[in-house]
């Protein structure tokens, strides 16, 4: 990924040490300025959205009555732990909000990976049980191994496995899952605290992603974005995607 900002070029760098993405300034490219600008400006699909179109689509993303419980089945954050299940309206609103942002930035919609929703629900339950926002949650003494292992995967990432290669996102403090989507796209904490490493935004807007799954337990939530095992999509021809 290459960005051109204020006459400087930045490339995305993935650190194996802390498993984070960073934007690194590219030095000594003055002789290739026009070539880089052509890559950044010309090799993409220009999207034009009017304010009216954006407002109409944004307003249509939420239809569930959140005065009601968000749970179809209540989760349990004490032994015996249970992931519970979200109401279908909550699931639909979350997917609508995610796809709204992907539409606005000109990338294809994703569908829900229903087989993996329970894993994300377990991840959210684990975070709530620990009362800690982390991609690397520890195992409570009274949580059985199988629940913990699946919950841990719901908070983390996985690469290289057939039909199960995904990026992972965790959130704290949002009353609803669709508001968590807004937070991921804003990525304010990463912008202000972690030096501009907008990993959540990259994850949700990645054009190579085809599916998603997510879960919520009170103010904690998790979300995964799914890719092919190689991380490459033969139908994807864009060389970059917008982060601003």
């Amino acid at each position: 990924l290459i960005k051109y900002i204020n006459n400087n070029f930045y490339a995305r760098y993935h650190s194996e040490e802390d498993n984070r993405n960073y934007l690194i300034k590219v030095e000594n490219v003055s002789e290739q300025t026009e070539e880089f600008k052509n890559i950044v400006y010309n090799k993409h699909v220009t999207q034009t959205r009017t304010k009216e179109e954006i407002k109409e689509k944004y307003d249509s993303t939420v239809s569930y009555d959140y005065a009601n419980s968000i749970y179809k089945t209540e989760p349990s954050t004490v032994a015996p732990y249970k992931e519970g299940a979200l109401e279908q309206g909550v699931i639909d609103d979350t997917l609508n909000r995610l796809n709204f942002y992907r539409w606005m930035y000109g990338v294809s919609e994703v569908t829900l990976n229903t087989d993996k929703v329970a894993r994300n629900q377990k991840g959210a339950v684990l975070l709530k049980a620990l009362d800690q926002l982390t991609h690397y949650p520890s195992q409570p003494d009274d949580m059985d191994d199988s629940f913990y292992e699946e919950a841990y995967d719901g908070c983390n990432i996985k690469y290289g496995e057939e039909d199960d290669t995904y990026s992972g996102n965790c959130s704290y403090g949002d009353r609803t899952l669709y508001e968590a989507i807004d937070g991921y796209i804003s990525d304010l904490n990463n912008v202000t605290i972690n030096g501009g490493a907008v990993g959540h935004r990259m994850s949700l807007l990645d054009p190579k992603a085809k599916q998603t799954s997510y879960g919520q337990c009170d103010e904690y939530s998790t979300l995964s974005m799914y890719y092919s095992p190689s991380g490459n999509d033969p139908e994807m021809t864009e060389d970059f995607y917008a982060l601003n």
Side-chain angles (χ1 to χ4, degrees):
L1 178 148
I2 301 171
K3 296 188 69 179
Y4 184 66
I5 308 172
N6 296 330
N7 297 316
N8 292 307
F9 294 105
Y10 295 83
R12 184 175 70 178
Y13 166 71
H14 182 76
S15 171
E16 297 294 340
E17 183 176 344
D18 60 4
N19 198 33
R20 300 185 67 85
N21 291 317
Y22 296 90
L23 288 179
I24 306 297
K25 184 177 179 181
V26 180
E27 305 288 352
N28 303 319
V29 296
S30 58
E31 293 118 13
Q32 295 128 7
T33 296
E34 290 306 314
E35 179 181 349
F36 273 95
K37 287 171 73 174
N38 286 336
I39 292 173
V40 175
Y41 288 131
N42 297 332
K43 293 187 177 180
H44 71 285
V45 178
T46 301
Q47 299 292 334
T48 302
R49 312 294 192 197
T50 68
K51 286 192 291 186
E52 291 75 17
E53 288 175 330
I54 292 172
K55 182 180 185 304
E56 181 179 359
K57 194 169 184 70
Y58 179 86
D59 289 343
S60 70
T61 59
V62 177
S63 59
Y64 184 73
D65 184 358
Y66 287 89
N68 299 319
S69 173
I70 65 172
Y71 302 114
K72 183 177 181 179
T73 306
E74 289 280 341
S76 173
T77 59
V78 296
Y81 294 92
K82 297 178 181 179
E83 68 266 28
L86 296 172
E87 286 283 359
Q88 188 62 46
V90 175
I91 293 171
D92 293 342
D93 286 355
T94 306
L95 186 61
N96 289 339
R97 191 67 136 228
L98 170 56
N99 279 328
F100 160 77
Y101 285 112
R102 290 179 66 86
W103 166 84
M104 193 168 69
Y105 284 94
V107 293
S108 60
E109 291 187 348
V110 293
T111 59
L112 183 66
N113 188 331
T114 55
D115 293 338
K116 305 300 182 183
V117 168
R119 177 167 65 190
N120 287 99
Q121 275 296 129
K122 289 177 180 178
V125 167
L126 175 56
L127 296 180
K128 175 64 177 179
L130 296 173
D131 197 18
Q132 180 185 17
L133 183 64
T134 175
H135 287 291
Y136 312 100
S138 58
Q139 182 175 1
D141 293 337
D142 57 354
M143 181 177 287
D144 69 73
D145 292 344
S146 62
F147 190 103
Y148 170 72
E149 289 167 6
E150 192 170 2
Y152 184 92
D153 286 347
C155 299
N156 211 278
I157 60 175
K158 188 181 290 184
Y159 292 110
E161 294 195 17
E162 186 69 31
D163 298 324
D164 200 18
T165 291
Y166 59 92
S167 61
N169 304 274
C170 300
S171 176
Y172 168 78
D174 295 298
R175 183 178 63 89
T176 68
L177 255 177
Y178 74 82
E179 290 172 320
I181 298 294
D182 295 341
Y184 289 138
I185 298 298
S186 169
D187 226 353
L188 185 59
N189 283 343
N190 276 338
V191 169
T192 58
I193 298 174
N194 294 322
V198 287
H200 301 109
R201 191 185 305 173
M202 287 179 174
S203 172
L204 271 65
L205 297 181
D206 196 319
K208 297 186 296 296
K210 294 299 182 183
Q211 289 187 307
T212 184
S213 62
Y214 35 80
Q216 180 181 2
C217 183
D218 293 345
E219 68 272 40
Y220 286 94
S221 64
T222 68
L223 182 147
S224 305
M225 298 293 290
Y226 295 87
Y227 313 84
S228 63
S230 65
N232 295 318
D233 180 359
E235 297 180 359
M236 181 62 212
T237 59
E238 306 305 323
D239 292 315
F240 84 107
Y241 56 100
L243 294 180
N244 291 332

